[in-house]
Amino acid sequence: MADMSYLAVIERYHEYREPIRELLASIITGIAEISLLQDQEAQRKALVSVRARYPFVQILYVLDEQGTQVSEFAAGEGGEVTTGHDVGRGRDRRHRPYYQQVVEADGVIVTEPYLSSADSTLCLSSAMPIVDAEGRRGYLVIDVNLEELTGFLMGDTRRRRFEPVFKAIYTLIGLSLLGVVGLLMFNALR
């Protein structure tokens, strides 16, 4: 059982486009708080909380009003949440589609699928503005793995968990059959 191809993932996305958009909008609005603009610990806790329920969420970060990335938390191997790889911190994101969309829409947005610069998988970004008491504006952004998200919506997460076991069993069966063929060939030639 191999990973879905990009084409299959995009087909699934188009099939589930509206539920995906609604789910991502509810996730990001559910965690959006003013404290996320400045508080790194609140950002980490938000990602931990979201990952516990939605394992397809990969990265959470905040942009300032000018579109500069001021923080990043990522889900590492095994699902633990760490400070991001720091590749994005301090980068100008004004030209990214999600930033332009969220500034123009002035509400929650969800992008179309694109290849993630973090891990080269198909992903979606969801973003929304946050305004603090002094009127300073920032943007909360989450990135999700599209393949994992469609698997989650299809109830495919249990199968993925047992995928290594299935592969081992199929390998064992295949090797056993090759052994039987080898014995039959040996006996036929003898």
Side-chain angles (χ1 to χ4, degrees), residues 115-181:
L115 284 176
S116 169
S117 60
D119 62 4
S120 299
T121 60
L122 280 175
C123 72
L124 298 173
S125 292
S126 183
M128 72 174 290
I130 301 175
V131 182
D132 68 10
E134 288 85 41
R136 288 184 302 235
R137 187 180 187 97
Y139 300 96
L140 177 62
V141 182
I142 59 172
D143 288 350
V144 300
N145 181 305
L146 185 56
E147 182 179 353
E148 290 179 17
L149 172 58
T150 56
F152 179 85
L153 288 175
M154 294 169 44
D156 203 21
T157 53
R158 285 193 182 137
R159 180 192 63 83
R160 288 187 152 284
R161 198 173 300 139
F162 290 104
E163 190 173 317
V165 174
F166 294 146
K167 285 181 178 179
I169 289 171
Y170 292 142
T171 301
L172 216 84
I173 291 170
L175 291 174
S176 298
L177 289 174
L178 283 173
V180 168
V181 167

Side-chain angles (χ1 to χ4, degrees), residues 184-190:
L184 289 174
M185 292 291 285
F186 177 74
N187 284 332
L189 292 174
R190 195 171 59 149

Side-chain angles (χ1 to χ4, degrees), residues 15-136:
E15 187 177 336
Y16 293 105
R17 175 183 266 154
E18 284 311 307
I20 286 172
R21 290 179 177 279
E22 290 173 14
L23 176 61
L24 293 180
S26 72
I27 291 171
I28 200 163
T29 56
I31 62 171
E33 294 179 10
I34 294 171
S35 63
L36 294 176
L37 287 177
Q38 304 293 328
D39 188 354
Q40 299 280 314
E41 184 59 22
Q43 293 169 20
R44 190 190 66 74
K45 285 180 180 177
L47 185 55
V48 167
S49 173
V50 168
R51 289 265 318 158
R53 291 179 199 90
Y54 308 107
F56 49 84
V57 176
Q58 300 293 313
I59 302 173
L60 177 144
Y61 52 97
V62 175
L63 305 176
D64 65 14
E65 194 165 9
Q66 291 76 35
T68 302
Q69 187 171 328
V70 294
S71 70
E72 179 179 316
F73 286 89
E77 291 298 318
E80 76 278 352
V81 174
T82 60
T83 302
H85 41 73
D86 288 331
V87 173
R89 191 173 295 168
R91 290 184 106 174
D92 182 4
R93 303 289 185 187
R94 283 180 294 178
H95 303 293
R96 302 293 298 178
Y98 55 82
Y99 178 77
Q100 294 173 355
Q101 289 175 19
V102 76
V103 169
E104 290 173 11
D106 205 35
V108 176
I109 62 96
V110 178
T111 65
E112 289 295 312
Y114 65 94
L115 284 176
S116 169
S117 60
D119 62 4
S120 299
T121 60
L122 280 175
C123 72
L124 298 173
S125 292
S126 183
M128 72 174 290
I130 301 175
V131 182
D132 68 10
E134 288 85 41
R136 288 184 302 235

